[in-house]
């Protein structure tokens, strides 16, 4: 394995953002920055060994310093939307900044994706880990509690990227962290509809017109959200999606929560996770206005996100798996991306 630690760019206040690049023997090359704790690039061989970029991202820090559609970053403190940008804990109301109509989205405008995380590196035979730490002060973006978050990315020689999320607080608060990478396994030659998808979910969350869960958990069977077929029956992405799928509760964590396959290139991405849900987002709001790797303007449906997470707006849905974190507890989740060719 090869490992590099280079300068990614300087923040307006002069601080340095680093870029960590890890390459496995078979050529999978993953770059991660401590700015936004972002996966900035994944270069992957196809079935012929031809290397291509398969994530949306920017080649330098500059792109990440402006508003962007959360390319590859860690979204926090709370991934996805919180209705009316508010929640209550022990009858005390907390107001958060609204940045998606009346809703709070992905931790707010200065969420974790805008932070320069501290870093530590550990290299072992067969793996390299980047440990990123950010301590979010009490009431930052409206959330209570000083929250210490640690996200560890480990790239293994067998083309596995593991993401371990950890957080601790000194006052009750809500936490829901995810990585927001956009993938296109064709190397951006085709759009998301040329990909096949499997999701280990027989239910999904119903949404209202503001994309907030209504609380109804609906069956996937017989709907456009049915992606349960495997192998040769795996279905192409049929329609735009921006929904949270409820992973089967009896599923084994050794089984993929989702799989994305591009038949043309043979590239397959398997996603494993401990979280109860996965937000599938087909880049519906991409509009060509962000120019990334190799000068590519990312257009609508040119990439897909597979965001392992708790359910959106959980703080306002007592019936959903709880996202409340109390002092003395440790929030701990693991997600894994496995890159294969078929
Ligand atoms: C959400 C979309 C949102 C996008 C922002 C996704 O996680 O599901 O609704 O527009 O992030 O880039």
């Amino acid at each position: 394995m090869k490992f590099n630690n280079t300068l990614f760019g300087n923040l307006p206040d002069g601080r340095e953002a680093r870029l960590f690049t890890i390459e496995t023997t078979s050529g999978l090359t993953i770059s991660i920055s401590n700015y936004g704790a972002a996966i900035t690039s994944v270069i992957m061989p196809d079935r012929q060994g031809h290397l291509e970029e398969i994530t949306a991202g920017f080649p330098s820090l500059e792109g990440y310093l402006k508003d962007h559609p959360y390319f590859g970053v860690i979204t926090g403190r709370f991934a996805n939307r919180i209705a009316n940008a508010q929640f209550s804990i022990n009858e005390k109301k907390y107001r958060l900044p609204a940045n998606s109509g009346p809703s709070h989205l992905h931790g707010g405008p200065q969420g974790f994706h805008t932070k320069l995380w501290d870093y530590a590196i550990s290299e072992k035979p067969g793996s390299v880990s980047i440990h990123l730490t950010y301590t979010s002060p009490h009431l930052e973006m409206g959330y209570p509690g000083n929250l210490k978050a640690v996200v560890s990315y480990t790239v293994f020689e067998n083309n596995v990227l593991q993401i371990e999320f950890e957080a601790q607080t000194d006052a009750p608060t809500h936490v829901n962290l995810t990585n927001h990478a956009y993938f296109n396994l064709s190397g951006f030659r085709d759009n998301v509809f040329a990909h096949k998808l499997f999701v280990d979910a027989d239910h999904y969350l119903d949404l209202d017109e503001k994309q907030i869960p209504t609380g109804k958990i609906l069956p996937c069977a017989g709907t456009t959200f049915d992606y349960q077929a495997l192998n040769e029956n795996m279905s192409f992405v049929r329609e735009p999606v921006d929904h949270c799928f409820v992973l089967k509760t009896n599923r084994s964590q050794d089984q993929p929560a989702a799989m994305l396959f591009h038949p043309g290139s043979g590239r397959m991405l398997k996603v494993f996770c401990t979280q109860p849900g996965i937000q599938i987002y087909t880049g519906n709001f991409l509009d060509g206005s962000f120019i990334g790797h190799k000068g590519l303007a990312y257009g609508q449906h040119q990439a897909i996100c597979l965001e392992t997470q708790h359910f959106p707006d959980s703080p306002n849905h007592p019936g959903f798996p709880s996202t409340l974190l109390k002092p003395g507890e440790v929030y701990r989740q693991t997600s894994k991306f496995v890159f294969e060719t078929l």
Side-chain angles (χ1 to χ4, degrees):
M1 293 183 88
K2 289 187 206 148
F3 172 65
N4 253 302
N5 171 355
T6 56
L7 178 67
F8 195 36
N10 290 88
L11 271 67
D13 64 10
R15 286 179 299 160
E16 277 189 359
R18 307 301 302 177
L19 188 70
F20 309 104
T21 301
I22 305 156
E23 185 181 335
T24 68
T25 309
S26 54
L28 178 76
T29 305
I30 299 181
S31 301
I32 292 161
S33 177
N34 63 329
Y35 185 78
I39 298 173
T40 64
S41 162
V42 178
I43 295 171
M44 181 183 178
D46 66 6
R47 63 161 77 84
Q48 258 88 49
H50 181 59
L51 296 169
E52 275 167 321
E53 178 62 63
I54 59 154
T55 53
F58 302 109
S60 70
L61 177 67
E62 217 187 327
Y64 293 92
L65 293 176
K66 300 181 198 137
D67 258 358
H68 67 89
Y70 303 89
F71 288 151
V73 295
I74 295 294
T75 57
R77 295 186 188 191
F78 201 96
N80 212 280
R81 293 181 175 77
I82 296 181
N84 300 315
Q86 61 181 51
F87 58 73
S88 296
I89 300 176
N90 299 330
E91 274 148 49
K92 184 165 167 34
K93 190 180 274 184
Y94 294 94
R95 290 187 184 280
L96 320 169
N99 57 338
S100 174
S103 314
H104 175 83
L105 176 66
H106 294 327
Q110 279 86 49
F112 285 5
H113 63 292
T114 67
K115 305 301 176 190
L116 186 69
W117 297 54
D118 291 333
Y119 67 90
I121 296 152
S122 55
E123 289 183 72
K124 292 190 189 139
S127 73
V128 178
S129 302
I130 317 293
H131 309 280
L132 301 171
T133 306
Y134 175 68
T135 301
S136 171
H138 176 57
L139 294 181
E140 184 177 48
M141 293 288 102
Y143 294 87
N146 294 293
L147 183 83
K148 182 180 175 193
V150 184
V151 173
S152 295
Y153 287 105
T154 303
V155 179
F156 292 92
E157 173 56 14
N158 60 350
N159 302 326
V160 175
L161 169 63
Q162 179 174 279
I163 313 174
E164 290 164 289
F165 303 90
E166 227 184 80
Q168 283 177 277
T169 183
D170 61 3
T173 192
H174 284 283
V175 188
N176 181 24
L177 304 178
T178 192
N179 177 280
H180 205 287
Y182 288 71
F183 293 101
N184 182 323
L185 301 183
S186 75
F188 292 88
R189 292 161 191 274
D190 299 330
N191 68 14
V192 296
F193 304 111
H195 290 71
K196 290 186 165 191
L197 179 67
F198 163 80
V199 188
D200 198 14
D202 46 20
H203 286 79
Y204 70 97
L205 300 186
D206 182 44
L207 298 180
D208 70 11
E209 66 293 344
K210 293 185 199 124
Q211 291 186 271
I212 298 291
T214 61
K216 280 190 210 145
I217 297 182
L218 301 178
C220 296
T223 74
T224 177
F225 300 102
D226 193 343
Y227 285 106
Q228 299 174 78
L230 280 163
N231 304 323
E232 58 282 358
N233 295 324
M234 215 166 133
S235 141
F236 279 101
V237 175
R238 311 177 183 100
E239 276 182 36
V241 191
D242 190 2
H243 284 77
C244 185
F245 288 70
V246 177
L247 294 169
K248 289 180 188 160
T249 45
N250 59 354
R251 48 186 300 279
S252 148
Q253 278 155 17
D254 302 331
Q255 296 300 316
M259 295 196 278
L260 186 69
F261 178 54
H262 178 253
S265 64
R267 293 191 184 96
M268 162 78 102
L269 169 63
K270 293 182 177 164
V271 182
F272 298 77
C273 70
T274 56
Q275 294 95 329
I278 185 162
Q279 178 82 12
I280 308 282
Y281 170 58
T282 49
N284 311 346
F285 301 113
L286 295 178
D287 61 4
S289 57
F290 292 93
I291 316 288
H293 294 300
K294 295 194 179 153
L296 208 71
Y298 301 115
Q300 194 180 34
H301 310 312
Q302 270 207 308
I304 180 167
C305 302
L306 308 162
E307 307 159 51
T308 58
Q309 57 185 255
H310 270 72
F311 302 166
D313 199 30
S314 295
N316 296 308
H317 288 273
F320 287 176
S322 175
T323 51
L324 190 69
L325 181 71
K326 298 186 197 132
E329 296 176 345
V330 184
Y331 165 90
R332 201 172 269 130
Q333 302 291 347
T334 304
S335 304
K336 230 167 39 179
F337 293 127
V338 177
F339 300 91
E340 294 177 1
T341 45
L342 296 184

